[in-house]
Amino acid sequence: MIRVAFILGALDQGWLGGINYYSGLIYALNSLPDRRIEPVIITGSQPSGALMEAIGNTEVLRTSLLDRHSPSWLLAKGWRTVFGTDPLLEHFLLKQEISAISHAPYIGRSKKLLTIGWIPDFQYKHLPNFFPPHELRLRESTNDRICRNSDAVIASSYSARKDLLEFAPYLEPEHALVLQFTSGIRRGQEIPAIETLRDKYKFGEKYFLLPNQFWMHKNHKLVFDALKILKAQSQRIEILLTGNNRDTKNPGFFEELMAYAESNGVSHDFRLLGITPYQDLLGLMAHAIALVNPSMFEGWSSTVEEGKALGKHLILSDLPVHREQAQYADFFATGDAETLARHLNTAWHGFDRERNAINVQTALNQADARWQAFGTAYQDLIEHQMRARHG
């Protein structure tokens, strides 16, 4: 077994998307009949309950080195700033027989541990206007340090790898890796009946689902524009919207978005469900006509992955990464409400619930194979990097 550390102290701050990512990766590894990687979670003294629940029975090591502003954290940070290494953390990990750090944040250089960084995407490069200047500078410096101090860096898509090599030209191509993650339904998870969900959420006979956070780059306004076009053509559809309505980069955005929908006369053509329990979300996905993602940017969309896991019809913005993920979706440009409206209208009138049920069941039968493929890809990546490091 290769003991691989995941340093997840930062996830205690509430990044649920990150928690779900690592939960899925560990699940994928545990699904392998020939698993040769032993994941070890490294946290601060008091990890979040959400993290502990998500990682299940995985080994957890706690250290005050990850407790922000503790004496040991301050000492390690100072040493890292001056000398570019973190001997305290390195010593702690070696004592626990760790061989590699995976998806590593910036921890400085290490001669004794394989260090593989992770930069999921470069949204801040493509949409800089969506970030305050101080966050742009922070991401730039953090990613630069990760690239310069890691043995290799993981990107979540080939599209992101292309950006990685462009924005970090000093990084050798063989050190720019791709790990396309999987998310979605797992063995033993049940899909609630549509009647149960309809009683709870009060939607109509059929609907589309847009399960994105209410962040500026998620492009909900384009969907409202498409609804307005359909309404002018006397075509009415229903879309369910789930997700967190807080955008920390733009706290007033959700209210602005709702005002936009009201001013365009479409506020009754969608339903806001907020953050739904994951079991309910799986059911809402499974019974939907299609999943819609109009986003202006993605690193590797969990919405698309979850849709694929359920065999769903996908209606997606025409991004390179969406093309990489889903070759058979309906695509529209991020500013093209007319084409989106046409796709929605066609799917609405062509929906066959029996055919949808067959597609969902076929996908469920392939769920184990999907997770094992993800686990195998990661295990192969780690083993290859270990061989490259040690010759």
Side-chain angles (χ1 to χ4, degrees):
M1 284 285 183
I2 303 173
R3 284 172 61 79
V4 178
F6 295 88
I7 301 173
L8 303 188
L11 289 187
D12 295 355
Q13 307 305 311
W15 181 30
L16 293 180
I19 290 175
N20 291 336
Y21 176 93
Y22 289 109
S23 171
L25 178 52
I26 290 169
Y27 178 82
L29 278 173
N30 289 337
S31 73
L32 297 180
D34 60 340
R35 179 170 65 88
R36 298 181 296 278
I37 303 295
E38 185 176 358
V40 181
I41 305 301
I42 314 297
T43 76
S45 301
Q46 296 180 324
S48 71
L51 173 61
M52 298 304 290
E53 181 180 356
I55 62 177
N57 296 324
T58 307
E59 181 180 356
V60 177
L61 300 176
R62 306 184 186 197
T63 171
S64 61
L65 290 168
L66 299 183
D67 291 339
R68 292 181 65 85
H69 307 300
S70 68
S72 55
W73 181 87
L74 291 169
L75 178 61
K77 181 182 179 182
W79 192 282
R80 193 165 56 241
T81 300
V82 175
F83 299 106
T85 60
D86 192 338
L88 295 177
L89 182 59
E90 183 179 69
H91 175 75
F92 174 80
L93 296 176
L94 290 171
K95 189 176 179 180
Q96 302 296 331
E97 299 183 326
I98 300 296
S99 299
I101 308 170
S102 184
H103 294 64
Y106 171 61
I107 58 167
R109 297 179 300 278
S110 175
K111 293 183 178 180
K112 298 179 180 179
L113 293 165
L114 172 69
T115 303
I116 301 177
W118 179 40
I119 302 177
D121 63 67
F122 290 87
Q123 181 190 335
Y124 71 99
K125 288 287 194 181
H126 292 271
L127 301 173
N129 293 337
F130 287 9
F131 294 83
H134 72 275
E135 187 167 348
L136 288 173
R137 292 191 296 270
L138 177 62
R139 293 197 180 208
E140 188 75 35
S141 62
T142 299
N143 288 345
D144 181 68
R145 288 172 178 174
I146 289 173
C147 290
R148 292 185 184 277
N149 291 280
S150 301
D151 294 290
V153 179
I154 289 174
S156 294
S157 65
Y158 285 97
S159 177
R161 180 182 184 272
K162 180 180 177 182
D163 285 343
L164 177 60
L165 292 173
E166 177 181 350
F167 299 129
Y170 49 83
L171 189 68
E172 296 294 333
E174 61 266 29
H175 297 156
L177 315 178
V178 175
L179 181 67
Q180 300 167 329
F181 68 80
T182 291
S183 60
I185 195 163
R186 305 178 185 180
R187 177 188 290 274
Q189 287 182 318
E190 295 183 0
I191 296 177
I194 190 170
E195 294 80 11
T196 302
L197 296 169
R198 186 178 287 119
D199 287 344
K200 184 173 182 178
Y201 295 106
K202 311 304 181 187
F203 52 80
E205 179 62 25
K206 56 185 180 179
Y207 61 89
F208 295 97
L209 182 67
L210 199 173
N212 281 354
Q213 313 286 32
F214 288 88
W215 297 338
M216 288 185 68
H217 76 279
K218 293 300 185 179
N219 206 18
H220 288 81
K221 283 186 178 180
L222 188 77
V223 175
F224 297 162
D225 291 341
L227 290 175
K228 183 178 180 180
I229 291 169
L230 291 173
K231 190 173 183 178
Q233 299 170 351
S234 299
Q235 300 290 331
R236 302 295 293 268
I237 67 173
E238 184 175 22
I239 297 184
L240 307 185
L241 308 180
T242 67
N244 191 344
N245 63 15
R246 291 185 65 253
D247 184 347
T248 56
K249 301 185 190 69
N250 190 345
F253 177 67
F254 180 74
E255 288 71 23
E256 175 191 329
L257 190 62
M258 293 303 102
Y260 184 84
E262 180 71 28
S263 66
N264 282 278
V266 297
S267 56
H268 297 292
D269 294 306
F270 60 86
R271 293 188 63 82
L272 296 170
L273 306 188
I275 301 175
T276 60
Y278 191 64
Q279 202 76 0
D280 287 359
L281 184 60
L282 288 175
L284 292 169
M285 289 180 177
H287 301 301
I289 296 171
L291 267 62
V292 182
N293 188 352
S295 183
M296 299 179 191
F297 190 89
E298 294 285 349
W300 187 257
S301 171
S302 58
T303 295
V304 173
E305 287 302 304
E306 289 164 340
K308 287 162 57 180
L310 291 168
K312 296 304 301 179
H313 181 183
L314 300 170
I315 302 177
L316 309 174
S317 53
D318 197 357
L319 307 176
V321 69
H322 277 166
R323 293 275 183 177
E324 187 178 333
Q325 280 188 271
Q327 294 80 14
Y328 302 106
D330 290 330
F331 293 100
F332 57 92
T334 56
D336 187 357
E338 292 279 355
T339 299
L340 172 55
R342 186 167 64 251
H343 286 322
L344 292 172
N345 190 47
T346 300
W348 180 267
H349 291 289
F351 182 58
D352 184 325
R353 195 169 296 282
E354 290 185 5
R355 186 173 65 224
N356 176 70
I358 292 171
N359 291 342
V360 169
Q361 188 57 54
T362 299
L364 293 180
N365 293 339
Q366 300 169 349
D368 286 350
R370 291 178 64 255
W371 284 109
Q372 289 183 14
F374 179 31
T376 298
Y378 177 74
Q379 181 163 270
D380 290 348
L381 182 153
I382 292 294
E383 291 182 328
H384 177 80
Q385 293 302 312
M386 290 291 290
R387 288 193 298 269
R389 180 180 174 87
H390 297 293

